[in-house]
Each structure stands twice: as structure tokens, then as C-alpha cells.
Amino acid sequence: MIDYKKELNEEQYKAVMHDKGPALLLAGAGTGKTRTLIYRVAHLIESGVSPESILLLTFTNKAAAEMKERAEKMLKEKCGITACTYHSFCVKMLRFYASFAGISPNFSIISSPDEADIIDIAKTELNFQRLSNMPTGTVFASMLSTCVNKGISLEDLLTEQRYWKFRQNEKKLLALKRKVARYKEEHNLLNYDDILLKFNSMLASYPDVAKKIEDTYQYIMVDEYQDTNVLQDSIIKKIRKYNQNLMVVGDDMQSIYRFRGADVRNILSFPKRYAGCKVIYLVENYRSNQEILNLANHVMTNATEGYEKKLKAQFSSERLPEVCYVDDMKREAEFVLESIKKQHMKGIPYKEICVLYRNSYQSYELEVLLNKEGLDFEKYGGIRFLDRAHIKDVLAFLRIYTNPSDELAWFRILQLHIGIGKVYARNISRKCLEYGPEYLIDDCHKRKKYGVHIRKLYDEIQSWEGKEFLEILKSSCAYYAKTLENTIRNKKVDSESDREESLQDLERNKEDITILQEMAKDYDSALAFLDATTLDATKSKGNEEDKLVLSTIHSVKGLEYDTVILLDCIDEILPSARYIGSPEDNEDVRCMYVAVTRAKNTLYMMVPKIALKYGKAIPGDLSRYIEGRDDLYDAYEIKYQS
């Protein structure tokens, strides 16, 4: 048996020993919430709770797998708990209860770019493609997602200032929305939002199914609860109607995804919505020194909503956080580069140094200097690995293997071939849905430029018969590379240098495709692999290489570094909101708190006297979140010799 009192601090122990009823675990940054959750899983199992009756919901599959693995090591045996993301859980339930949800169990999961393609197809069919003041496919996909995640109608969204220009086409946009929904239904497609909507709707329509799921999972734990949206919270309510064994874990001060639909009110109102809720605070921080935490504690006082808490460190430092004043953003970048070099010379690995900023454009000056210096870095927030066009091309082959009615996958694959553009691709893909792959060898293609090439596609598809999943993927990858190389070598180009550049890109892309094949070895079926890659499309961050990290604050939550350098710690950038106490201002307070609490030992906050915000010069006044508290930091004026 595990000696829980020996392994945990007092508050962690309280959380782990909580056996019955609702509980809110308020875990400040660096206070060991993951450790606490794992020990609670272990305690429940040691107390006789069946592992199969425990559901642990997280926001990444990586986090879920890590928690499950650590629990198994602690218990020294395999445990059959269900640990996964919201979307993975909903997909699992929808495939099992598909008939109740009114869908086919072999539905394909589509990403945002796929949704944008569907919108473009629908716009063409409705003759909307040439209308003025119509959003692009990508923008409209984002708008529809915002409506779902915020729980508002499209009509309400169009009243927001950023979408005013589309209001004149409100009726057409509503028609487009219906057309897109109908298309997805006809082709057995669900996007991330549809997954949640379908599952939530099924639970509401079939209370007996909801009760069955509730009875299956006697204990539910939700990690990062502050990041949940209205829809995710609604799903939890429906499977905790009778059984109140629910523990939600989070930190209201780390709720920084409002723009994605996360609703901090979920965690703020939880004790009121669940009678008898026990609230437990974790405030003993195991990451940062007390000097950094003193600043973080002060930053929290700027919020006009939230739970009051004060983080306590396990150690102190003689060094306060530093506020560094420089003339402008160019000087800022120069000083940051010098500071990075100094920290590295002291023995700090580059991967333990992180430069943070509110908006991606703020790192441009520094990136130029780093490139000149030859100093490699990882920038968090770019295009994800699984969203890269060539990876989506390869995955499209698996999509038509698992779901032959996936027109989008046909549409993508066909365009890889010589002589096939969007019009031909759309026409052929629709015929393939009607007549199957055999349409690829129909006599009508013989005299077409592409005829011989789509015959090869047909042969490739036929070759999958009887093969294992990994063999099919390997074959598809080889076919893709050979087909694309042939297309590049034979297409018309403005100059041969363009052709050569495309061939070089293909060679680089082959490396990514090799990585994809390695990833696939952990899965036993194409459908399982597609579910995982679509639901957890996270980019590789090169953790084994010693690279400096540049990141937006939003992309670094959950991570920690020895040294953090926060760019442009000034009013109009951090905070960007002008109105104190507004929802935007409270979100900026939380962003500042997240940034500060990423640092373990050293924290620099940069203040350029003149800064650029979207090309406009603004005065660099120290952020009001820390202004006037010079007892919490050392301030330096950085001078340069001309």
C-alpha cells in the first residue's frame, strides 16, 4: 500500500482522500496537480474501486497517456481506467452508440482546413463565390466554430464588430451554414465541434443512454477545468445527474483561452452548481522561487474575479525579477540576445530559456538576430505537423480506405495527379462516390491527359486488399511521393528554378512522411490512427534537442523554464485591454500570471520606451499590473554605445 501521508503535502492529501461527492481542486501554477490526480486514481483503485469505472478527462492525449502510465507504475500493475481527451471520449461513445446519435459508426473526423474546403464547395454550388462581403472558407469555418464554443447563434455573432461587414449577407450565410451541415451529414463527416454537439444532443434525447454511461463511470475527474467551454460543461452535467462523484481540477488564473470559447465562469460557479461541493486549494509551489511568486501573487490582485490565493515557494533567491528599460524594440532584441548568451554561458541549456510574448509579431526583431547569430530556436505557434499539406495528403489515402464516401479525401488525392484541377477533381470524386473506385478506370477517361494516371490510382487502391494497416500506409506514402514527383517534373512552370524548388520541398516532405509512418506503428488500425492524428494534431517540439524556445503566452501554458524573458511588458500590449475590470482585462491579467509563473529561477521583463503595435508606434509605459511595486523587482536602464 502507498503511504499517502508521506508522499503528499497536507492539501494534496485532502484531495486524494476525497472519496464521495463533488470537489473543486484549485491548483495554482506549479503546485503538483498532476501528481495529486495520479495519487487519487491510485487511492481509489487501492480502496477497491474498479479501474474501469474511473474516467479521467484531459485536454491532450499526451497528458492522458502520461497520467495513466504514472498511475500504473505507482500501482505496479496495469490499470484499465479511461484516460483521454473530451473529443476522444465523445468519439468512443459516438461510435458505440451511433444509432442513437443518428449517424454511421464509421464517420470520418475532419479538421478546420477540411471544413473550409466544404464551405468553398458549398459556396460554389450556391453561386456565392463571387459575392462581396462574404467570408472566406477559413474565416467562415472559424465563425461557425466560435458559435458552437461560445454557445451563441450565427445571427448574434454577426453583431460583433469584427464581423459587421458580413451582416448584409446574413440570410446567405445562414443558407451556407445549412448547406455545409447537410453536406457533412450526407458524407458521414464530423468536425471537432460536431463531435461534441452530436454527443451532447444524444445525451439530451436519450436519458437512458446518459444514465448507462453515468453508471459505467462511477468516478469522473476533469483536468484543466478552467479551459472548458459551455458545451463541454453541459456534457459533464448530463453524465453526473445522479452520481455526484465528480472532481474538477484547475486554476481560474490560468484560464486564457477565452478567444477559443473557454468560459472561466464554469470553474468560478462550480461550487454553487454542485451542492455540497468541497473546495480544496493547492498553493505550495514546487517550481519557482519565492521572489517570482511574490510578483505573481501581486499580478493576481489586478483581477476583478476569481478565487483569492497566495502561492508559497519551497525556496528563495537573492535575486529579484528584473525590469529592463531599453530605447526601442531593436535594442530590446539586442539585449535579449545578449542575455540569452550570458545565461547559456552560466550553464543554462538553451531549451531551459524561453522568450515569451503576447502576440506572434513581437518576436520578429529577435528572430532576425537569432538567424544572423546562427542560434537555433523553436517557435511555438506555427503550423502543426499534422496540418501540413503533405501530411494531410497522405492521410487522405487512409480516409478513403476507412470511409469510401469521404468526398473531401477523394478531392484532395485526385488533385495530386497530372491534368486534374479542382473542377475535374470535384466531378470525378462525386462519380467515385456513386460508382466506387471502378469509375477511375471508366472508358470516359481514356482520352484525357490524366487517364493513365488515375488508372495507377485505381491499381494502388486495389493493392490494399488483404493488407495490414501499416502496409497500406507504407504503400500510400510511396505512391504519393512518386505521383507528386511525376506531377512536378511534368507540370508547366514559369522557370526551371521553380520546378527545382518544388522537388527540394518534396525531399524535405519525405522526412515528415517517414515520421508519420513511425507514429503509426503504435496503432493497430487505420481508423484508430486517424482518430488519434485528427484529434491530437500537436506539433513535435524537438524536446531532445537543445533549442531556445520562442513562444506566445498561450502556447506555453503547462510548461516551465529556468529562465523566462517577457517581451514588451507595457500598457497596450500586456495589458492590451483599456478598460479595467472588463472580461478582456481579466484575461490579460491571467496571461501575465501565466507568463510570470513559467519561470523557475530567472525572470526578465522588457520595457521598450517606444514600441510598435501592428506597425504603429506607441509609448512604452510599464504594465499597470506591476507598476508602482518596485519592491518586487529590480529595474535597470539599459544603455548602448552609439
Side-chain angles (χ1 to χ4, degrees), residues 405-446:
S405 64
D406 188 339
E407 184 183 0
L408 280 179
W410 283 106
F411 185 68
R412 178 178 282 272
I413 289 170
L414 286 163
Q415 290 181 79
L416 299 172
H417 299 79
I418 295 172
I420 298 183
K422 289 186 176 182
V423 174
Y424 273 145
R426 185 168 64 248
N427 293 337
I428 297 171
S429 61
R430 288 183 176 176
K431 291 292 185 179
C432 286
L433 298 189
E434 187 176 355
Y435 300 107
E438 284 71 26
Y439 181 71
L440 298 173
I441 56 173
D442 190 275
D443 287 345
C444 66
H445 304 302
K446 283 186 177 180

mmCIF file of all heavy atoms in Angstrom, residues 405-446:
data_model
loop_
_atom_site.group_PDB
_atom_site.id
_atom_site.type_symbol
_atom_site.label_atom_id
_atom_site.label_comp_id
_atom_site.label_asym_id
_atom_site.label_seq_id
_atom_site.Cartn_x
_atom_site.Cartn_y
_atom_site.Cartn_z
ATOM 1 N N SER A 405 -16.897 7.032 -48.724
ATOM 2 C CA SER A 405 -17.780 8.145 -49.081
ATOM 3 C C SER A 405 -17.219 9.504 -48.643
ATOM 4 O O SER A 405 -17.933 10.498 -48.662
ATOM 5 C CB SER A 405 -19.165 7.938 -48.463
ATOM 6 O OG SER A 405 -19.100 7.958 -47.055
ATOM 7 N N ASP A 406 -15.945 9.525 -48.260
ATOM 8 C CA ASP A 406 -15.294 10.764 -47.844
ATOM 9 C C ASP A 406 -14.870 11.530 -49.104
ATOM 10 O O ASP A 406 -13.743 11.398 -49.599
ATOM 11 C CB ASP A 406 -14.087 10.453 -46.962
ATOM 12 C CG ASP A 406 -13.467 11.686 -46.333
ATOM 13 O OD1 ASP A 406 -13.693 12.796 -46.855
ATOM 14 O OD2 ASP A 406 -12.758 11.540 -45.335
ATOM 15 N N GLU A 407 -15.770 12.362 -49.612
ATOM 16 C CA GLU A 407 -15.510 13.078 -50.863
ATOM 17 C C GLU A 407 -14.318 14.022 -50.760
ATOM 18 O O GLU A 407 -13.566 14.203 -51.719
ATOM 19 C CB GLU A 407 -16.754 13.860 -51.280
ATOM 20 C CG GLU A 407 -16.578 14.552 -52.644
ATOM 21 C CD GLU A 407 -17.768 15.393 -53.038
ATOM 22 O OE1 GLU A 407 -18.728 15.454 -52.260
ATOM 23 O OE2 GLU A 407 -17.729 15.987 -54.124
ATOM 24 N N LEU A 408 -14.142 14.631 -49.593
ATOM 25 C CA LEU A 408 -13.018 15.563 -49.427
ATOM 26 C C LEU A 408 -11.679 14.870 -49.628
ATOM 27 O O LEU A 408 -10.748 15.444 -50.199
ATOM 28 C CB LEU A 408 -13.054 16.194 -48.027
ATOM 29 C CG LEU A 408 -14.026 17.345 -47.814
ATOM 30 C CD1 LEU A 408 -13.946 17.821 -46.376
ATOM 31 C CD2 LEU A 408 -13.712 18.495 -48.765
ATOM 32 N N ALA A 409 -11.575 13.637 -49.128
ATOM 33 C CA ALA A 409 -10.336 12.889 -49.290
ATOM 34 C C ALA A 409 -10.094 12.582 -50.776
ATOM 35 O O ALA A 409 -8.977 12.731 -51.277
ATOM 36 C CB ALA A 409 -10.385 11.597 -48.474
ATOM 37 N N TRP A 410 -11.144 12.144 -51.474
ATOM 38 C CA TRP A 410 -11.025 11.926 -52.932
ATOM 39 C C TRP A 410 -10.597 13.226 -53.626
ATOM 40 O O TRP A 410 -9.710 13.218 -54.494
ATOM 41 C CB TRP A 410 -12.362 11.474 -53.510
ATOM 42 C CG TRP A 410 -12.723 10.045 -53.269
ATOM 43 C CD1 TRP A 410 -13.658 9.579 -52.398
ATOM 44 C CD2 TRP A 410 -12.170 8.896 -53.915
ATOM 45 N NE1 TRP A 410 -13.721 8.210 -52.460
ATOM 46 C CE2 TRP A 410 -12.824 7.753 -53.392
ATOM 47 C CE3 TRP A 410 -11.184 8.722 -54.897
ATOM 48 C CZ2 TRP A 410 -12.526 6.463 -53.801
ATOM 49 C CZ3 TRP A 410 -10.891 7.428 -55.311
ATOM 50 C CH2 TRP A 410 -11.550 6.321 -54.767
ATOM 51 N N PHE A 411 -11.228 14.318 -53.243
ATOM 52 C CA PHE A 411 -10.962 15.626 -53.843
ATOM 53 C C PHE A 411 -9.489 15.999 -53.695
ATOM 54 O O PHE A 411 -8.862 16.506 -54.627
ATOM 55 C CB PHE A 411 -11.857 16.660 -53.148
ATOM 56 C CG PHE A 411 -11.808 18.041 -53.721
ATOM 57 C CD1 PHE A 411 -12.314 18.326 -54.973
ATOM 58 C CD2 PHE A 411 -11.254 19.095 -52.989
ATOM 59 C CE1 PHE A 411 -12.287 19.608 -55.503
ATOM 60 C CE2 PHE A 411 -11.209 20.377 -53.505
ATOM 61 C CZ PHE A 411 -11.733 20.640 -54.761
ATOM 62 N N ARG A 412 -8.926 15.733 -52.522
ATOM 63 C CA ARG A 412 -7.518 16.068 -52.261
ATOM 64 C C ARG A 412 -6.577 15.154 -53.057
ATOM 65 O O ARG A 412 -5.612 15.613 -53.679
ATOM 66 C CB ARG A 412 -7.248 15.962 -50.761
ATOM 67 C CG ARG A 412 -5.807 16.249 -50.362
ATOM 68 C CD ARG A 412 -5.615 16.170 -48.859
ATOM 69 N NE ARG A 412 -6.096 17.355 -48.203
ATOM 70 C CZ ARG A 412 -5.370 18.451 -47.987
ATOM 71 N NH1 ARG A 412 -4.126 18.514 -48.440
ATOM 72 N NH2 ARG A 412 -5.875 19.488 -47.369
ATOM 73 N N ILE A 413 -6.858 13.864 -53.027
ATOM 74 C CA ILE A 413 -5.971 12.897 -53.686
ATOM 75 C C ILE A 413 -5.936 13.095 -55.203
ATOM 76 O O ILE A 413 -4.877 13.060 -55.830
ATOM 77 C CB ILE A 413 -6.422 11.456 -53.357
ATOM 78 C CG1 ILE A 413 -6.124 11.140 -51.887
ATOM 79 C CG2 ILE A 413 -5.738 10.442 -54.265
ATOM 80 C CD1 ILE A 413 -6.742 9.844 -51.406
ATOM 81 N N LEU A 414 -7.097 13.306 -55.789
ATOM 82 C CA LEU A 414 -7.166 13.429 -57.252
ATOM 83 C C LEU A 414 -6.340 14.598 -57.768
ATOM 84 O O LEU A 414 -5.729 14.523 -58.849
ATOM 85 C CB LEU A 414 -8.622 13.566 -57.695
ATOM 86 C CG LEU A 414 -9.442 12.265 -57.619
ATOM 87 C CD1 LEU A 414 -10.926 12.553 -57.673
ATOM 88 C CD2 LEU A 414 -9.016 11.332 -58.753
ATOM 89 N N GLN A 415 -6.266 15.672 -57.003
ATOM 90 C CA GLN A 415 -5.521 16.859 -57.446
ATOM 91 C C GLN A 415 -4.006 16.675 -57.434
ATOM 92 O O GLN A 415 -3.276 17.539 -57.907
ATOM 93 C CB GLN A 415 -5.898 18.066 -56.579
ATOM 94 C CG GLN A 415 -7.310 18.549 -56.827
ATOM 95 C CD GLN A 415 -7.650 19.758 -55.987
ATOM 96 O OE1 GLN A 415 -7.272 20.888 -56.308
ATOM 97 N NE2 GLN A 415 -8.353 19.533 -54.882
ATOM 98 N N LEU A 416 -3.543 15.559 -56.912
ATOM 99 C CA LEU A 416 -2.105 15.265 -56.947
ATOM 100 C C LEU A 416 -1.652 14.845 -58.340
ATOM 101 O O LEU A 416 -0.458 14.869 -58.647
ATOM 102 C CB LEU A 416 -1.775 14.135 -55.955
ATOM 103 C CG LEU A 416 -2.073 14.386 -54.473
ATOM 104 C CD1 LEU A 416 -1.860 13.097 -53.679
ATOM 105 C CD2 LEU A 416 -1.199 15.494 -53.930
ATOM 106 N N HIS A 417 -2.610 14.485 -59.183
ATOM 107 C CA HIS A 417 -2.286 13.873 -60.469
ATOM 108 C C HIS A 417 -2.241 14.899 -61.608
ATOM 109 O O HIS A 417 -2.946 15.912 -61.584
ATOM 110 C CB HIS A 417 -3.313 12.777 -60.797
ATOM 111 C CG HIS A 417 -3.335 11.673 -59.788
ATOM 112 N ND1 HIS A 417 -3.972 11.791 -58.576
ATOM 113 C CD2 HIS A 417 -2.771 10.428 -59.810
ATOM 114 C CE1 HIS A 417 -3.810 10.675 -57.882
ATOM 115 N NE2 HIS A 417 -3.096 9.822 -58.609
ATOM 116 N N ILE A 418 -1.429 14.608 -62.593
ATOM 117 C CA ILE A 418 -1.276 15.476 -63.762
ATOM 118 C C ILE A 418 -2.609 15.666 -64.473
ATOM 119 O O ILE A 418 -3.347 14.707 -64.721
ATOM 120 C CB ILE A 418 -0.253 14.869 -64.750
ATOM 121 C CG1 ILE A 418 1.147 14.834 -64.123
ATOM 122 C CG2 ILE A 418 -0.201 15.671 -66.053
ATOM 123 C CD1 ILE A 418 2.166 14.085 -64.957
ATOM 124 N N GLY A 419 -2.937 16.923 -64.774
ATOM 125 C CA GLY A 419 -4.121 17.226 -65.564
ATOM 126 C C GLY A 419 -5.414 17.322 -64.781
ATOM 127 O O GLY A 419 -6.488 17.478 -65.369
ATOM 128 N N ILE A 420 -5.339 17.213 -63.450
ATOM 129 C CA ILE A 420 -6.566 17.280 -62.644
ATOM 130 C C ILE A 420 -6.521 18.500 -61.727
ATOM 131 O O ILE A 420 -5.692 18.571 -60.817
ATOM 132 C CB ILE A 420 -6.772 15.999 -61.807
ATOM 133 C CG1 ILE A 420 -6.918 14.786 -62.719
ATOM 134 C CG2 ILE A 420 -8.002 16.137 -60.913
ATOM 135 C CD1 ILE A 420 -7.187 13.486 -62.002
ATOM 136 N N GLY A 421 -7.413 19.439 -62.013
ATOM 137 C CA GLY A 421 -7.562 20.604 -61.153
ATOM 138 C C GLY A 421 -8.790 20.438 -60.283
ATOM 139 O O GLY A 421 -9.350 19.342 -60.173
ATOM 140 N N LYS A 422 -9.266 21.533 -59.718
ATOM 141 C CA LYS A 422 -10.386 21.442 -58.776
ATOM 142 C C LYS A 422 -11.686 21.000 -59.446
ATOM 143 O O LYS A 422 -12.470 20.246 -58.859
ATOM 144 C CB LYS A 422 -10.578 22.786 -58.076
ATOM 145 C CG LYS A 422 -9.465 23.113 -57.092
ATOM 146 C CD LYS A 422 -9.761 24.368 -56.307
ATOM 147 C CE LYS A 422 -8.666 24.615 -55.267
ATOM 148 N NZ LYS A 422 -8.942 25.824 -54.447
ATOM 149 N N VAL A 423 -11.918 21.463 -60.676
ATOM 150 C CA VAL A 423 -13.177 21.116 -61.347
ATOM 151 C C VAL A 423 -13.238 19.622 -61.653
ATOM 152 O O VAL A 423 -14.211 18.935 -61.304
ATOM 153 C CB VAL A 423 -13.344 21.934 -62.647
ATOM 154 C CG1 VAL A 423 -14.582 21.451 -63.402
ATOM 155 C CG2 VAL A 423 -13.467 23.418 -62.330
ATOM 156 N N TYR A 424 -12.166 19.110 -62.302
ATOM 157 C CA TYR A 424 -12.126 17.680 -62.596
ATOM 158 C C TYR A 424 -12.165 16.866 -61.300
ATOM 159 O O TYR A 424 -12.831 15.829 -61.208
ATOM 160 C CB TYR A 424 -10.856 17.328 -63.379
ATOM 161 C CG TYR A 424 -10.982 17.481 -64.876
ATOM 162 C CD1 TYR A 424 -9.907 17.906 -65.641
ATOM 163 C CD2 TYR A 424 -12.172 17.189 -65.536
ATOM 164 C CE1 TYR A 424 -10.003 18.047 -67.018
ATOM 165 C CE2 TYR A 424 -12.290 17.334 -66.912
ATOM 166 C CZ TYR A 424 -11.201 17.765 -67.651
ATOM 167 O OH TYR A 424 -11.299 17.903 -69.015
ATOM 168 N N ALA A 425 -11.426 17.321 -60.304
ATOM 169 C CA ALA A 425 -11.363 16.591 -59.032
ATOM 170 C C ALA A 425 -12.745 16.492 -58.396
ATOM 171 O O ALA A 425 -13.120 15.429 -57.872
ATOM 172 C CB ALA A 425 -10.389 17.273 -58.077
ATOM 173 N N ARG A 426 -13.507 17.585 -58.444
ATOM 174 C CA ARG A 426 -14.842 17.569 -57.850
ATOM 175 C C ARG A 426 -15.757 16.614 -58.623
ATOM 176 O O ARG A 426 -16.495 15.819 -58.032
ATOM 177 C CB ARG A 426 -15.428 18.981 -57.837
ATOM 178 C CG ARG A 426 -16.783 19.068 -57.125
ATOM 179 C CD ARG A 426 -17.204 20.490 -56.863
ATOM 180 N NE ARG A 426 -17.412 21.240 -58.084
ATOM 181 C CZ ARG A 426 -16.647 22.255 -58.495
ATOM 182 N NH1 ARG A 426 -15.621 22.639 -57.773
ATOM 183 N NH2 ARG A 426 -16.892 22.893 -59.630
ATOM 184 N N ASN A 427 -15.694 16.683 -59.944
ATOM 185 C CA ASN A 427 -16.568 15.827 -60.761
ATOM 186 C C ASN A 427 -16.232 14.343 -60.603
ATOM 187 O O ASN A 427 -17.115 13.504 -60.443
ATOM 188 C CB ASN A 427 -16.462 16.237 -62.230
ATOM 189 C CG ASN A 427 -17.036 17.625 -62.477
ATOM 190 O OD1 ASN A 427 -17.864 18.118 -61.704
ATOM 191 N ND2 ASN A 427 -16.582 18.271 -63.541
ATOM 192 N N ILE A 428 -14.934 14.032 -60.640
ATOM 193 C CA ILE A 428 -14.520 12.625 -60.537
ATOM 194 C C ILE A 428 -14.812 12.073 -59.148
ATOM 195 O O ILE A 428 -15.268 10.937 -58.995
ATOM 196 C CB ILE A 428 -13.018 12.480 -60.879
ATOM 197 C CG1 ILE A 428 -12.765 12.895 -62.341
ATOM 198 C CG2 ILE A 428 -12.552 11.038 -60.651
ATOM 199 C CD1 ILE A 428 -11.291 12.991 -62.714
ATOM 200 N N SER A 429 -14.553 12.887 -58.125
ATOM 201 C CA SER A 429 -14.771 12.415 -56.756
ATOM 202 C C SER A 429 -16.243 12.068 -56.538
ATOM 203 O O SER A 429 -16.563 11.068 -55.877
ATOM 204 C CB SER A 429 -14.291 13.449 -55.733
ATOM 205 O OG SER A 429 -15.002 14.667 -55.877
ATOM 206 N N ARG A 430 -17.129 12.845 -57.105
ATOM 207 C CA ARG A 430 -18.559 12.573 -56.929
ATOM 208 C C ARG A 430 -18.975 11.291 -57.654
ATOM 209 O O ARG A 430 -19.816 10.542 -57.165
ATOM 210 C CB ARG A 430 -19.378 13.764 -57.408
ATOM 211 C CG ARG A 430 -19.244 14.939 -56.445
ATOM 212 C CD ARG A 430 -20.076 16.114 -56.809
ATOM 213 N NE ARG A 430 -19.961 17.143 -55.775
ATOM 214 C CZ ARG A 430 -20.508 18.328 -55.838
ATOM 215 N NH1 ARG A 430 -21.230 18.667 -56.885
ATOM 216 N NH2 ARG A 430 -20.354 19.190 -54.856
ATOM 217 N N LYS A 431 -18.378 11.068 -58.796
ATOM 218 C CA LYS A 431 -18.668 9.831 -59.522
ATOM 219 C C LYS A 431 -18.118 8.619 -58.766
ATOM 220 O O LYS A 431 -18.720 7.537 -58.782
ATOM 221 C CB LYS A 431 -18.062 9.893 -60.927
ATOM 222 C CG LYS A 431 -18.733 10.898 -61.857
ATOM 223 C CD LYS A 431 -20.147 10.482 -62.210
ATOM 224 C CE LYS A 431 -20.768 11.429 -63.240
ATOM 225 N NZ LYS A 431 -22.139 11.019 -63.602
ATOM 226 N N CYS A 432 -16.984 8.796 -58.088
ATOM 227 C CA CYS A 432 -16.409 7.701 -57.293
ATOM 228 C C CYS A 432 -17.325 7.336 -56.129
ATOM 229 O O CYS A 432 -17.405 6.167 -55.737
ATOM 230 C CB CYS A 432 -15.025 8.076 -56.771
ATOM 231 S SG CYS A 432 -13.738 8.065 -58.040
ATOM 232 N N LEU A 433 -18.001 8.348 -55.587
ATOM 233 C CA LEU A 433 -18.953 8.073 -54.509
ATOM 234 C C LEU A 433 -20.129 7.258 -55.035
ATOM 235 O O LEU A 433 -20.670 6.401 -54.339
ATOM 236 C CB LEU A 433 -19.467 9.379 -53.892
ATOM 237 C CG LEU A 433 -18.451 10.308 -53.215
ATOM 238 C CD1 LEU A 433 -19.187 11.426 -52.482
ATOM 239 C CD2 LEU A 433 -17.578 9.549 -52.245
ATOM 240 N N GLU A 434 -20.494 7.546 -56.288
ATOM 241 C CA GLU A 434 -21.668 6.891 -56.867
ATOM 242 C C GLU A 434 -21.353 5.479 -57.369
ATOM 243 O O GLU A 434 -22.138 4.548 -57.158
ATOM 244 C CB GLU A 434 -22.213 7.748 -58.011
ATOM 245 C CG GLU A 434 -23.520 7.255 -58.588
ATOM 246 C CD GLU A 434 -24.046 8.210 -59.659
ATOM 247 O OE1 GLU A 434 -23.436 9.274 -59.863
ATOM 248 O OE2 GLU A 434 -25.063 7.865 -60.278
ATOM 249 N N TYR A 435 -20.192 5.339 -58.037
ATOM 250 C CA TYR A 435 -19.870 4.071 -58.692
ATOM 251 C C TYR A 435 -18.707 3.316 -58.041
ATOM 252 O O TYR A 435 -18.403 2.190 -58.444
ATOM 253 C CB TYR A 435 -19.543 4.307 -60.167
ATOM 254 C CG TYR A 435 -20.669 4.929 -60.950
ATOM 255 C CD1 TYR A 435 -20.603 6.250 -61.346
ATOM 256 C CD2 TYR A 435 -21.809 4.191 -61.265
ATOM 257 C CE1 TYR A 435 -21.646 6.842 -62.061
ATOM 258 C CE2 TYR A 435 -22.864 4.758 -61.973
ATOM 259 C CZ TYR A 435 -22.778 6.092 -62.364
ATOM 260 O OH TYR A 435 -23.810 6.672 -63.054
ATOM 261 N N GLY A 436 -18.071 3.938 -57.040
ATOM 262 C CA GLY A 436 -16.924 3.302 -56.402
ATOM 263 C C GLY A 436 -15.637 3.569 -57.161
ATOM 264 O O GLY A 436 -15.633 4.242 -58.211
ATOM 265 N N PRO A 437 -14.491 3.039 -56.680
ATOM 266 C CA PRO A 437 -13.190 3.266 -57.331
ATOM 267 C C PRO A 437 -13.148 2.815 -58.785
ATOM 268 O O PRO A 437 -12.306 3.290 -59.564
ATOM 269 C CB PRO A 437 -12.224 2.433 -56.480
ATOM 270 C CG PRO A 437 -12.910 2.294 -55.160
ATOM 271 C CD PRO A 437 -14.375 2.234 -55.458
ATOM 272 N N GLU A 438 -14.057 1.899 -59.153
ATOM 273 C CA GLU A 438 -14.069 1.414 -60.534
ATOM 274 C C GLU A 438 -14.279 2.544 -61.543
ATOM 275 O O GLU A 438 -13.905 2.398 -62.724
ATOM 276 C CB GLU A 438 -15.177 0.352 -60.716
ATOM 277 C CG GLU A 438 -14.838 -1.016 -60.135
ATOM 278 C CD GLU A 438 -14.833 -1.000 -58.614
ATOM 279 O OE1 GLU A 438 -15.539 -0.144 -58.021
ATOM 280 O OE2 GLU A 438 -14.111 -1.819 -58.025
ATOM 281 N N TYR A 439 -14.861 3.654 -61.090
ATOM 282 C CA TYR A 439 -15.060 4.773 -62.008
ATOM 283 C C TYR A 439 -13.725 5.318 -62.518
ATOM 284 O O TYR A 439 -13.659 5.917 -63.596
ATOM 285 C CB TYR A 439 -15.838 5.907 -61.325
ATOM 286 C CG TYR A 439 -16.084 7.081 -62.241
ATOM 287 C CD1 TYR A 439 -17.001 6.983 -63.296
ATOM 288 C CD2 TYR A 439 -15.387 8.271 -62.092
ATOM 289 C CE1 TYR A 439 -17.204 8.044 -64.171
ATOM 290 C CE2 TYR A 439 -15.582 9.347 -62.948
ATOM 291 C CZ TYR A 439 -16.499 9.223 -63.984
ATOM 292 O OH TYR A 439 -16.695 10.286 -64.852
ATOM 293 N N LEU A 440 -12.654 5.084 -61.759
ATOM 294 C CA LEU A 440 -11.329 5.562 -62.175
ATOM 295 C C LEU A 440 -10.847 4.897 -63.461
ATOM 296 O O LEU A 440 -9.973 5.437 -64.153
ATOM 297 C CB LEU A 440 -10.304 5.319 -61.053
ATOM 298 C CG LEU A 440 -10.558 6.050 -59.726
ATOM 299 C CD1 LEU A 440 -9.569 5.566 -58.674
ATOM 300 C CD2 LEU A 440 -10.435 7.562 -59.916
ATOM 301 N N ILE A 441 -11.378 3.731 -63.772
ATOM 302 C CA ILE A 441 -10.956 3.027 -64.999
ATOM 303 C C ILE A 441 -12.056 3.027 -66.046
ATOM 304 O O ILE A 441 -12.029 2.231 -66.992
ATOM 305 C CB ILE A 441 -10.502 1.584 -64.677
ATOM 306 C CG1 ILE A 441 -11.600 0.812 -63.945
ATOM 307 C CG2 ILE A 441 -9.215 1.586 -63.854
ATOM 308 C CD1 ILE A 441 -11.276 -0.676 -63.751
ATOM 309 N N ASP A 442 -13.023 3.937 -65.887
ATOM 310 C CA ASP A 442 -14.091 4.052 -66.882
ATOM 311 C C ASP A 442 -13.511 4.521 -68.220
ATOM 312 O O ASP A 442 -12.552 5.305 -68.262
ATOM 313 C CB ASP A 442 -15.134 5.058 -66.383
ATOM 314 C CG ASP A 442 -16.390 5.032 -67.243
ATOM 315 O OD1 ASP A 442 -16.387 5.735 -68.274
ATOM 316 O OD2 ASP A 442 -17.338 4.325 -66.869
ATOM 317 N N ASP A 443 -14.095 4.075 -69.293
ATOM 318 C CA ASP A 443 -13.605 4.414 -70.646
ATOM 319 C C ASP A 443 -13.613 5.917 -70.911
ATOM 320 O O ASP A 443 -12.873 6.399 -71.774
ATOM 321 C CB ASP A 443 -14.452 3.703 -71.711
ATOM 322 C CG ASP A 443 -14.168 2.213 -71.785
ATOM 323 O OD1 ASP A 443 -13.124 1.802 -71.227
ATOM 324 O OD2 ASP A 443 -14.980 1.480 -72.381
ATOM 325 N N CYS A 444 -14.432 6.663 -70.179
ATOM 326 C CA CYS A 444 -14.522 8.106 -70.435
ATOM 327 C C CYS A 444 -13.215 8.838 -70.142
ATOM 328 O O CYS A 444 -13.022 9.987 -70.550
ATOM 329 C CB CYS A 444 -15.657 8.725 -69.615
ATOM 330 S SG CYS A 444 -15.395 8.698 -67.840
ATOM 331 N N HIS A 445 -12.299 8.197 -69.422
ATOM 332 C CA HIS A 445 -11.035 8.853 -69.069
ATOM 333 C C HIS A 445 -9.904 8.564 -70.063
ATOM 334 O O HIS A 445 -8.857 9.211 -69.983
ATOM 335 C CB HIS A 445 -10.567 8.385 -67.681
ATOM 336 C CG HIS A 445 -11.579 8.599 -66.592
ATOM 337 N ND1 HIS A 445 -12.097 9.835 -66.291
ATOM 338 C CD2 HIS A 445 -12.146 7.707 -65.719
ATOM 339 C CE1 HIS A 445 -12.960 9.706 -65.288
ATOM 340 N NE2 HIS A 445 -13.019 8.436 -64.930
ATOM 341 N N LYS A 446 -10.120 7.624 -70.960
ATOM 342 C CA LYS A 446 -9.016 7.135 -71.795
ATOM 343 C C LYS A 446 -8.333 8.232 -72.591
ATOM 344 O O LYS A 446 -7.118 8.242 -72.757
ATOM 345 C CB LYS A 446 -9.511 6.036 -72.733
ATOM 346 C CG LYS A 446 -9.694 4.684 -72.030
ATOM 347 C CD LYS A 446 -10.046 3.597 -73.036
ATOM 348 C CE LYS A 446 -10.146 2.247 -72.343
ATOM 349 N NZ LYS A 446 -10.487 1.167 -73.314
#
